[in-house]
Amino acid sequence: MPPSAADPARADALPPDDPVDAPPPGTRPAAAPDPHAGPDADAGPAPSVPAACDVAILGGGLAGLTLALQLRQRFPALSIVVLERRAHPVPLACHKVGESSVEIGAAYFERLGLAEHLQQAQLRKFGFRFFFSEGRHDLDGVTELGASRPLPVPSYQIDRGLFENHLGERVRADGTVFVDRTMVRQVALGEGEAAHTVCWQRAGGPEQRLQARWVIDASGRAGLLKRQLGLAQDNAHGAHAVWFRLKGHLPVDRWSDDPAWRARCATPTRWLSTNHLCGAGYWVWLIPLASGSHSVGIVADPRFHPLERMNSFERAMDWLAEFQPRLHAELDGRREALQDFAFFRRFSYDCRQVFSASRWALVGEAGRFLDPFYSPGSDFIAIGNTFVTELIARDRAGQRLGAHTQVYEQIFRSFYDSTLALYVDQYGLFGDPTVMPVKVLWDYSYYWGVLAQLFFHERLTDLALLSQLRDELALGQALNRAVQDVLRDWSAVSRRPNPAVMLDQAAIPWFVELNRSLLDTLDAPALRARLREATERLRTLAEELREHVLDEHPGLDDRALRAAIDGAVLGPGVALPPVQRPRPRLLEALLAPQASRAEPALA
């Protein structure tokens, strides 16, 4: 049974006072594995590896192992070999970041038969939560954005070590050959119908060759095929991240003695949220892990906060003392609980191509990576793996791959570009208690209303439906780009008031219903109607935003947003219906005057 709404994490309680028993290791930059480095020392008994297989997956992390499960689920007789660099089992808590899932990723994992593990071994997430707490010790004295009770569709906080160990056991039990402590030496891609050849070695063993009809690069930032084929490509997002784990959970619900503040949420479980401590140019994540640790990360735009100010634990602590002193006070007395520390100088990147009609593909971080904000990593794993599975299905049916490969590449690219727009040049407004709540509401309306609907209703590869929705999808993308620009311009002139109130997403009926609607079962015509309704909702939100911003700041340039609302992207002569004007307005709860934020629904 899934956790109840009143019990988002298997326990309706504050986090336990965990013992501290782990010494702090040294700090290090996080780097992509060296594809030319040798394997570890003796790896113990090796599993029997065939000389040939249908699919070779290079990398046994989250992307590679879930793809193996998805392929086995679709094709019980498929021969699959997974070659993984790390030794299994992997460490708990300090294995990898990317620990928070959202709706698409969580649904994907459940679709693969992992619901029982998620519900019993991981933590049910209490949504996203934002505190505009720069320079403040009093979390109860600033604006809080979040939900007072869990929304209908579940997501999870995932200890990656615990999860990937379970995935490794599952793929082996399903008949996949999973070999750890391996190093891929070379990949020779066959021409035409010829098989691909993977040269690999396990620690302590000889080099071996594996023939495979399909080769899937799931090697993460090592990017084996991306490097070999020269596919790497930068994007316009230059943010960096530092992170560390500590033994014991952070008791966010105890960070205020104010009974009214504590009573804002139905349960004392704010600590189960992905808590964001926000300021201009950065955000700090707080993510609890089921193994008893808490993950802390600082993600920043270097134009505001250079990496050199936070690229060691001591420097990060000094930075927190200045910008997030309440968190610093909590951590300062727990330095002995430090378990690891790492950083990426520039974590976001692009890739020229991820799917090929020549029967290779890149999945997960071996291809593209966006930003940890909104936790899209597992979503894009789910989407990419689904396209790969469909291409392999077509190949096994003897169908041509060229046209579908190109269309899937275009669709995946459009999803990536639309999501990247949420981050590029937007970090400056993250500390704005007026603008940022509107951005979060818009971003989630776009996500739940369009992309998540396609995934939940299993229509990502329905090219006929996607063709029928071409105009709606193009209009949504144009609206999103224009709204992001207006949000940034608005924040540049915002007064940034920061009242001590909670903006309760669970008190916005249409927003809650949009989340719940992901659980519906719709046929193609009904889903087409829903996505057209979603596009109209986005037009309404955009028009309400435009009117409000111009009322406050008449000089702001709204031409691009007005053109998007009018459907200019659809071409000359296209006449869209007038924007709907519901009452109350969709943005009423967030765009009301500051005084109204103390009303009972939002207090």
Side-chain angles (χ1 to χ4, degrees), residues 460-474:
L460 279 177
T461 60
D462 186 341
L463 300 189
L465 176 65
L466 294 174
S467 177
Q468 294 167 1
L469 292 167
R470 183 183 295 110
D471 286 352
E472 286 79 8
L473 296 175

Side-chain angles (χ1 to χ4, degrees), residues 10 115-123 157 159 162 290-291:
R10 300 177 291 139
E116 182 178 358
H117 171 83
L118 293 170
Q119 294 162 10
Q120 296 184 6
Q122 304 288 352
L123 298 176
Q157 309 289 25
D159 184 310
L162 189 66
S291 53

Side-chain angles (χ1 to χ4, degrees), residues 24-28 242-244 298 307-322 328 331-336 338 340-343:
T27 63
R28 61 181 177 86
V242 309
W243 66 90
F244 50 93
I298 306 169
L307 177 62
E308 289 69 26
R309 287 209 58 189
M310 58 186 75
N311 61 356
S312 72
F313 181 68
E314 290 303 324
R315 292 191 188 102
M317 286 292 287
D318 290 343
W319 185 91
L320 288 171
E322 179 177 352
H328 176 270
L331 300 178
D332 196 37
R334 300 177 57 176
R335 291 173 182 257
E336 71 279 10
L338 181 66
D340 70 340
F341 183 94
F343 61 85

Side-chain angles (χ1 to χ4, degrees), residues 12 47 53 76 80 90 94 96 123 158 210 224 252 286 336 361 376 381 391 405 444 499 526 531-532 579 581:
D12 176 14
C53 65
I80 307 169
V90 298
C94 299
K96 296 176 183 175
L123 298 176
I158 295 177
L210 175 65
L224 294 170
V252 176
L286 306 177
E336 71 279 10
I381 286 173
L391 289 172
T405 300
Y444 259 82
L531 286 166
R532 287 172 174 161
V579 171
R581 297 179 179 275

Side-chain angles (χ1 to χ4, degrees), residues 150-470:
L151 298 183
V153 180
S155 56
Y156 301 92
Q157 309 289 25
I158 295 177
D159 184 310
R160 289 286 296 274
L162 189 66
F163 196 38
E164 291 183 23
N165 287 338
H166 178 73
L167 291 173
E169 294 169 359
R170 277 287 308 275
V171 299
R172 283 173 171 148
D174 285 347
T176 292
V177 177
F178 178 35
V179 193
D180 66 347
R181 303 191 196 189
T182 66
M183 183 58 57
V184 173
R185 297 298 188 185
Q186 184 181 19
V187 180
L189 297 175
E191 296 183 4
E193 289 296 303
H196 307 309
T197 302
V198 179
C199 181
W200 65 279
Q201 180 183 11
R202 193 167 194 251
E207 288 193 8
Q208 302 185 54
R209 282 173 171 75
L210 175 65
Q211 303 287 312
R213 180 159 182 81
W214 280 84
V215 170
I216 310 300
D217 186 357
S219 63
R221 290 172 182 263
L224 294 170
L225 285 182
K226 182 162 63 176
R227 291 172 186 247
Q228 179 174 321
L229 300 175
L231 299 175
Q233 183 170 290
D234 289 336
N235 64 24
H237 188 41
H240 56 252
V242 309
W243 66 90
F244 50 93
R245 267 68 62 114
L246 297 103
K247 183 66 176 176
H249 288 134
L250 299 178
V252 176
D253 300 88
R254 296 192 184 111
W255 287 2
S256 172
D257 295 327
D258 182 356
W261 183 83
R262 291 189 171 190
R264 286 177 180 171
C265 293
T267 57
T269 49
R270 281 182 175 91
W271 69 279
L272 289 167
S273 302
T274 296
N275 283 290
H276 301 66
L277 309 182
C278 299
Y282 73 91
W283 59 286
V284 177
W285 81 62
L286 306 177
I287 300 175
L289 305 177
S291 53
S293 298
H294 223 102
S295 176
V296 180
I298 306 169
V299 190
D301 183 329
R303 293 172 292 185
F304 293 82
H305 300 277
L307 177 62
E308 289 69 26
R309 287 209 58 189
M310 58 186 75
N311 61 356
S312 72
F313 181 68
E314 290 303 324
R315 292 191 188 102
M317 286 292 287
D318 290 343
W319 185 91
L320 288 171
E322 179 177 352
F323 293 99
Q324 291 294 336
R326 182 61 188 87
L327 176 59
H328 176 270
E330 178 71 31
L331 300 178
D332 196 37
R334 300 177 57 176
R335 291 173 182 257
E336 71 279 10
L338 181 66
Q339 294 175 294
D340 70 340
F341 183 94
F343 61 85
F344 280 132
R345 179 170 296 278
R346 184 186 178 113
F347 54 71
S348 188
Y349 50 85
D350 200 349
C351 185
R352 291 186 177 87
Q353 180 184 0
V354 294
F355 308 123
S356 172
S358 298
R359 305 184 318 279
W360 57 261
L362 285 61
V363 296
E365 293 186 27
R368 301 180 174 114
F369 185 77
L370 286 155
D371 189 291
F373 195 78
Y374 295 138
S375 305
S378 56
D379 285 12
F380 277 79
I381 286 173
I383 295 166
N385 284 0
T386 297
F387 286 139
V388 169
T389 299
E390 189 62 28
L391 289 172
I392 292 175
R394 292 186 61 81
D395 183 47
R396 288 177 65 78
Q399 299 171 325
R400 294 181 180 273
L401 299 178
H404 279 72
T405 300
Q406 292 178 11
V407 173
Y408 292 166
E409 188 76 47
Q410 292 168 2
I411 295 170
F412 197 62
R413 158 65 62 192
S414 73
F415 293 159
Y416 175 87
D417 289 344
S418 294
T419 308
L420 185 65
L422 309 183
Y423 310 117
V424 174
D425 295 329
Q426 297 299 78
Y427 267 51
L429 64 83
F430 278 20
D432 190 328
T434 298
V435 178
M436 188 62 177
V438 178
K439 173 176 168 58
V440 171
L441 194 84
W442 168 269
D443 293 348
Y444 259 82
S445 298
Y446 187 39
Y447 170 66
W448 288 340
V450 181
L451 181 55
Q453 296 287 343
L454 290 170
F455 184 86
F456 271 75
H457 291 91
E458 301 186 51
R459 297 288 178 173
L460 279 177
T461 60
D462 186 341
L463 300 189
L465 176 65
L466 294 174
S467 177
Q468 294 167 1
L469 292 167
R470 183 183 295 110

